[in-house]
Amino acid sequence: MCIRDSPKTPKPLSVSSCVEVRREYEMCLDEKYHYIKAMKTHPNVTSSRRKCRKAHFTAPSHIRRRIMGCHLSKDLRTQYHVRAIPIRKDDEVTVMRGNHKGKKGKVISVYRKRWAIHVEKITKDKANGTQVQVPIHPSNCMITKLKIDNDRKRILDKKKVVEKDKGKFQTGKVEMALD
């Protein structure tokens, strides 16, 4: 039973009983809101929402590049053993979320200042009749074809995740272990 549910009027409390009351009150809050407070694990990284949002939206261009990453399609993921990579001009993408879901095209520009990419065939008409590119956030897209050059190859090799055997023996190794 929680403290606030008890019908008795509170009596003056000693220091030890105050600590117990405080613990019980926190347990009541946890029951009410169904959450457990997570401990902060790294002392140099803030967990303040305000500071994290400020760091995100005032990030310099070289960090925005990493944040503006995009998932690879399943066949590219199996080919390169990489899940996501920063998007760049001349990649081909499919829009996965939003009003333009399912549309495909080539990336015309990566607009880091506005956190957006512009895709070739995705435009809208203005009131005066001119067509403008629709900005799309890269997290709402999936890369279907990569523009590969030496820098991209180096990045893919660096990010490559090699699958481990997970403790499974091959037939030759088992026979040698038995001998």
Side-chain angles (χ1 to χ4, degrees):
M1 176 166 30
C2 288
I3 295 168
R4 59 178 176 242
D5 296 338
S6 63
K8 299 177 183 176
T9 57
K11 297 177 183 175
L13 301 172
S14 65
V15 175
S16 61
S17 61
C18 284
V19 172
E20 292 172 13
V21 168
R22 179 71 183 163
R23 282 191 200 134
E24 188 179 342
Y25 181 71
E26 287 176 358
M27 287 174 53
C28 291
L29 288 178
D30 288 343
E31 290 171 10
K32 182 178 179 184
Y33 296 111
H34 302 289
Y35 72 90
I36 297 172
K37 298 171 189 166
M39 287 182 56
K40 185 174 170 181
T41 56
H42 198 283
N44 297 332
V45 178
T46 183
S47 49
S48 165
R49 182 172 189 270
R50 176 176 64 176
K51 290 179 184 176
C52 289
R53 284 177 57 82
K54 182 178 181 184
H56 177 82
F57 290 109
T58 60
S61 182
H62 69 285
I63 293 176
R64 284 181 187 229
R65 177 185 161 273
R66 279 190 323 191
I67 294 172
M68 291 177 68
C70 201
H71 283 284
L72 298 178
S73 63
K74 287 189 179 180
D75 55 333
L76 289 177
R77 197 180 302 173
T78 55
Q79 182 180 352
Y80 295 111
H81 302 288
V82 174
R83 177 176 291 274
I85 193 165
I87 198 160
R88 63 173 287 183
K89 185 178 175 181
D90 295 331
D91 285 344
E92 289 184 16
V93 297
T94 303
V95 179
M96 304 300 288
R97 299 277 187 274
N99 294 336
H100 303 284
K101 181 178 181 178
K103 293 186 181 177
K104 300 176 183 181
K106 188 182 281 191
V107 176
I108 297 171
S109 67
V110 179
Y111 199 166
R112 289 186 194 168
K113 189 173 183 180
R114 292 187 60 199
W115 299 95
I117 61 172
H118 294 134
V119 182
E120 191 174 43
K121 299 169 188 171
I122 302 178
T123 59
K124 66 179 179 181
D125 295 328
K126 289 175 65 174
N128 63 4
T130 59
Q131 285 192 336
V132 292
Q133 295 292 325
V134 176
I136 298 171
H137 196 275
S139 66
N140 296 329
C141 298
M142 181 175 64
I143 299 176
T144 55
K145 187 177 176 187
L146 288 169
K147 180 187 179 189
I148 298 290
D149 58 356
N150 291 335
D151 291 333
R152 238 351 170 21
K153 282 182 186 174
R154 186 175 47 80
I155 291 168
L156 287 169
D157 290 339
K158 197 162 119 178
K159 287 188 76 166
K160 182 183 270 188
V161 176
V162 180
E163 294 180 15
K164 297 181 181 176
D165 291 337
K166 296 184 182 178
K168 296 179 182 174
F169 288 103
Q170 295 174 351
T171 55
K173 291 181 181 178
V174 172
E175 291 171 1
M176 290 190 324
L178 292 174
D179 291 336

